[in-house]
Amino acid sequence: MTGSMMAEVGLSDKRQRGPHERSSRSHRPGTWAVNLSGKRIVLVGGAGLIGSHIINHLLRETDVGQIVVFDNFVRGTRKNIQEASLPVVARDVTFNLDRGFWPRVSIVEGDMRDQDAVRETIDGADGVFLLASLWLGECVSDPREAWDVNVTGSYNVVAAC
């Protein structure tokens, strides 16, 4: 890492921070270490509880260009996405009632085991959140499905990045 890159992330040339040490640089609430302005972010499995909170935070706290939610809607719901967007939408006159969510949020219904769908959705993305997986109980009851989703599906996402 060059000196200028180290300074950018808050490191000195003399000492590199260990993996569990916090940066001496303080972050104010609502600030990001990464500039997301105008960026295209994909949330794989983004229609669930955690994904909806990430959507809400990205819309409220950043100037993200586009959020793409890629989900098969087995557990997640469109309502989660809409409810995550509404507090932000209430302040935005560009809200589209026909679509039911803010124009910067789009939905792709798909399964992460579908390599082509994953690749097509992630193509051109500036960042990806991988949130999709089967729960432990589902893994115990159907180990083959667990392998397909949690291993093969995750591999497809990583390979597409």
Side-chain angles (χ1 to χ4, degrees):
M1 189 180 284
T2 68
S4 64
M5 289 171 62
M6 290 170 65
E8 227 174 88
V9 293
L11 300 176
S12 72
D13 287 322
K14 296 178 183 171
R15 182 177 94 74
Q16 290 189 5
R17 192 172 65 240
H20 300 292
E21 293 180 69
R22 291 184 180 257
S23 169
S24 60
R25 191 172 60 164
S26 64
H27 290 283
R28 295 183 325 271
T31 64
W32 288 73
V34 177
N35 181 2
L36 297 176
S37 181
K39 303 293 185 190
R40 181 174 180 266
I41 306 298
V42 177
L43 279 72
V44 178
L49 175 70
I50 295 171
S52 65
H53 285 280
I54 291 172
I55 292 167
N56 182 271
H57 190 81
L58 288 172
L59 290 174
R60 281 187 301 107
E61 302 294 334
T62 74
D63 191 21
V64 66
Q66 181 186 22
I67 300 169
V68 179
V69 178
F70 182 88
D71 206 298
N72 65 3
F73 296 99
V74 169
R75 283 194 311 267
T77 66
R78 284 177 170 77
K79 184 178 179 184
N80 285 346
I81 299 167
Q82 183 176 7
E83 288 176 357
S85 303
L86 284 177
V88 180
V89 170
R91 298 187 311 248
D92 191 323
V93 295
T94 63
F95 178 62
N96 184 334
L97 291 173
D98 296 329
R99 291 176 60 194
F101 51 91
W102 213 23
R104 290 194 298 166
V105 179
S106 61
I107 296 172
V108 175
E109 187 166 351
D111 193 302
M112 68 181 189
R113 293 172 291 185
D114 181 344
Q115 190 175 19
D116 293 333
V118 169
R119 190 178 315 115
E120 183 178 316
T121 302
I122 292 177
D123 186 43
D126 297 298
V128 177
F129 288 83
L130 176 53
L131 306 167
S133 68
L134 294 183
W135 292 346
L136 180 58
E138 296 168 312
C139 295
V140 170
S141 65
D142 192 347
R144 176 61 186 182
E145 183 81 355
W147 179 269
D148 287 345
V149 173
N150 294 349
V151 177
T152 305
S154 294
Y155 178 82
N156 289 342
V157 173
V158 171
C161 292

